[in-house]
Amino acid sequence: MHLTKDEERMLDGEEGYAVKKSMEILTALGDIYGAERLIKVGSVQVAGVSYHNLGDAGLEFLNELAKDGRVRVLTTLNPAGMDLEDWRKLGIDDEFAHKQNLVIEAFRKMGIIISCTCTPYLIGNLPIYGEHVAWSESSAVTFANSVIGAKTNREGGPSALAAAFVGKTPCYGLHLDENRVPETRFHVATKLRKISDWGALGYSIGKSAENKIPYISGIEDASLDELKSFCASVVTYGSKPLFYMEGITPAAENQQPPSEKIIVESEDIEAAYQSINDEFSAVDLVCIGCPHCSIKEIAEIAELLKNREVSANTQLWVACSRSMKQIADARSYTDTIERAGGRFACDTCMAVAPLKGRFRTVATTSAKGCYYSRHNNMMTRMGSLTECIDAAVKGKWS
Ligand code: F3S
């Protein structure tokens, strides 16, 4: 890979340890994937924040980098393993909280915004169309590439951090237009009626697209919340963090759809529900906010909980960024939700919090949430927001 004089100096260690290490990571990646050069990035989203996933080795790596590493571009953080303020309320123990706080301190020292959300685009890390960025966390990467039309590979935590310290990333993969061409086509011939249908659609398309970029037609309109749900699901059950949706996503009109198309019908959506759902009645946890809730979703939850109470046998978690909760506080949604017995899970989520062994069953609106809950040995049930809130109030799925 060709390096400029400045980049050579960075690699030689003239700008310190963190920049040198970062250049080593970026040049190694560039060489593996055949990049010709590094390109500037407008922002970075760093995943790998939960102590649950990092462990002591990860914490040590971050502390080393934090000694002299300072980010050069807008850099935000993915969810951590706990609510950074109200962790006790979510059943997190002191030891875990201590270690998680050390992780956060390392990131803070690097100049990273402690946003702890997988929807950075809702709170100010919003690239423009065509902008190169270096994001990690699959749903956010898919949203950036597809809904916004920015360009990013699916970075790992270390390569995203490296890009933040250097302000650049190797130019390969989805940074190049020739790698962003749709490779398979789907026509959706059924109506999507509730938020969880978008997760089911993502499951169905993701599974059959495998590692191909899908071009999707037949969808007449989509809200931001529906698109973020679809992004999370299609990349979880498929693999490419990019799709085109005719008439909906901005870059679709510049692409030539593949001629052969797979028709997605109501039976496919039903089959997705059947694969995702387990049979159970008592619901231990209802979790909304995968990806993290928008203010519109929080408003809907508050409306559904008015004059109701969450069952004593069930916990209701509303996962969102702290900034989003501050807006919810100002609009009194927080009051309504907490008075009904719901809890906010800011800064964290059902996949990265240490939940294994704490709950047997979970109900959620999110197909991705179900995927990770099964990894945490929980039985899963996906449904509409109304169905999930009803389950929280009754303590059972009906
Ligand atoms: Fe976000 Fe966690 Fe879901 S990172 S997309 S809330 S699994």
Side-chain angles (χ1 to χ4, degrees):
M1 188 166 66
H2 170 76
L3 296 183
T4 64
K5 287 223 158 46
D6 274 352
E7 291 161 1
E8 292 279 8
R9 280 183 35 254
M10 292 181 186
L11 185 59
D12 289 343
E14 288 186 30
E15 296 200 18
Y17 172 80
V19 170
K20 179 180 168 52
K21 271 276 152 234
S22 300
M23 280 300 292
E24 285 169 5
I25 294 171
L26 298 178
T27 50
L29 270 178
D31 287 342
I32 291 167
Y33 290 106
E36 290 179 0
R37 63 192 173 97
L38 295 174
I39 44 164
K40 284 190 177 167
V41 291
S43 72
V44 171
Q45 164 79 358
V46 173
V49 181
S50 171
Y51 175 72
H52 185 53
N53 303 328
L54 284 167
D56 285 332
L59 174 57
E60 203 178 309
F61 172 73
L62 293 174
N63 279 333
E64 275 303 302
L65 290 176
K67 282 183 185 155
D68 69 351
R70 301 293 175 267
V71 299
R72 291 174 192 229
V73 292
L74 171 68
T75 304
T76 45
L77 269 194
N78 222 39
M82 63 182 199
D83 186 306
L84 299 181
E85 291 181 6
D86 280 335
W87 46 272
R88 279 204 176 85
K89 177 190 69 179
L90 299 183
I92 302 292
D93 66 55
D94 288 14
E95 171 66 9
F96 184 91
H98 173 66
K99 292 291 175 96
Q100 182 64 72
N101 280 329
L102 292 178
V103 169
I104 294 298
E105 270 326 296
F107 283 127
R108 200 188 300 280
K109 219 169 147 192
M110 297 170 190
I112 296 177
I113 297 170
I114 309 302
S115 48
C116 294
T117 181
C118 54
T119 53
Y121 46 86
L122 294 181
I123 58 149
N125 187 354
L126 180 63
I128 58 166
Y129 183 86
E131 186 175 8
H132 293 279
V133 297
W135 283 20
S136 42
E137 206 290 304
S138 62
S139 78
V141 169
T142 309
F143 194 94
N145 275 322
S146 315
V147 180
I148 299 171
K151 296 176 182 177
T152 176
N153 286 318
R154 185 176 171 174
E155 301 292 346
S159 66
L161 255 187
F165 290 142
V166 172
K168 294 179 180 178
T169 194
C171 187
Y172 71 92
L174 293 178
H175 289 288
L176 298 169
D177 288 343
E178 65 258 35
N179 296 327
R180 298 177 65 90
V181 176
E183 300 160 293
T184 180
R185 180 174 179 184
F186 294 86
H187 183 78
V188 180
T190 181
K191 286 260 169 290
L192 304 174
R193 295 192 165 78
K194 51 190 184 185
I195 187 80
S196 47
D197 288 354
W198 289 81
L201 180 70
Y203 176 99
S204 181
I205 291 181
K207 285 265 181 200
S208 43
E210 294 176 340
N211 63 349
K212 297 198 184 103
I213 297 171
Y215 182 99
I216 303 155
S217 56
I219 295 197
E220 281 164 16
D221 56 48
S223 70
L224 182 141
D225 292 326
E226 289 163 346
L227 287 170
K228 81 177 164 64
S229 177
F230 179 76
C231 286
S233 177
V234 76
V235 71
T236 298
Y237 293 100
S239 74
K240 276 286 162 85
L242 168 62
F243 64 85
Y244 297 94
M245 204 174 267
E246 198 171 82
I248 308 277
T249 62
E253 61 191 36
N254 306 326
Q255 297 293 336
Q256 186 63 36
S259 48
E260 297 240 333
K261 59 184 173 196
I262 298 167
I263 309 290
V264 182
E265 299 183 277
S266 57
E267 296 76 41
D268 300 301
I269 300 297
E270 192 42 46
Y273 274 102
Q274 283 186 5
S275 303
I276 288 169
N277 284 340
D278 295 308
E279 275 307 315
F280 59 85
S281 173
V283 177
D284 295 344
L285 174 68
V286 174
C287 191
I288 313 294
C290 173
H292 270 179
C293 283
S294 67
I295 194 63
K296 191 160 168 269
E297 287 173 307
I298 296 174
E300 284 166 13
I301 297 166
E303 187 59 35
L304 287 166
L305 279 173
K306 261 189 195 156
N307 305 320
R308 298 171 89 190
E309 218 172 286
V310 172
S311 159
N313 302 321
T314 305
Q315 289 190 23
L316 168 65
W317 288 17
V318 178
C320 62
S321 65
R322 189 156 300 280
S323 316
M324 204 55 73
K325 177 166 176 289
Q326 280 160 359
I327 302 173
D329 294 347
R331 303 297 307 258
S332 310
Y333 302 142
T334 306
D335 260 7
T336 310
I337 291 169
E338 291 186 338
R339 220 178 309 124
R343 306 170 195 197
F344 275 82
C346 293
D347 318 307
T348 188
C349 84
M350 59 202 294
V352 295
L355 296 188
K356 213 175 221 162
R358 288 186 51 198
F359 303 101
R360 288 159 305 157
T361 57
V362 62
T364 176
T365 52
S366 166
K368 178 176 178 178
C370 290
Y371 179 90
Y372 282 101
S373 296
R374 280 192 176 161
H375 281 265
N376 276 334
N377 296 342
M378 290 186 236
M379 289 197 285
T380 56
R381 193 86 216 187
M382 179 175 76
S384 69
L385 190 57
T386 305
E387 288 168 319
C388 287
I389 297 300
D390 283 352
V393 169
K394 292 179 191 156
K396 61 179 189 190
W397 191 270
S398 50

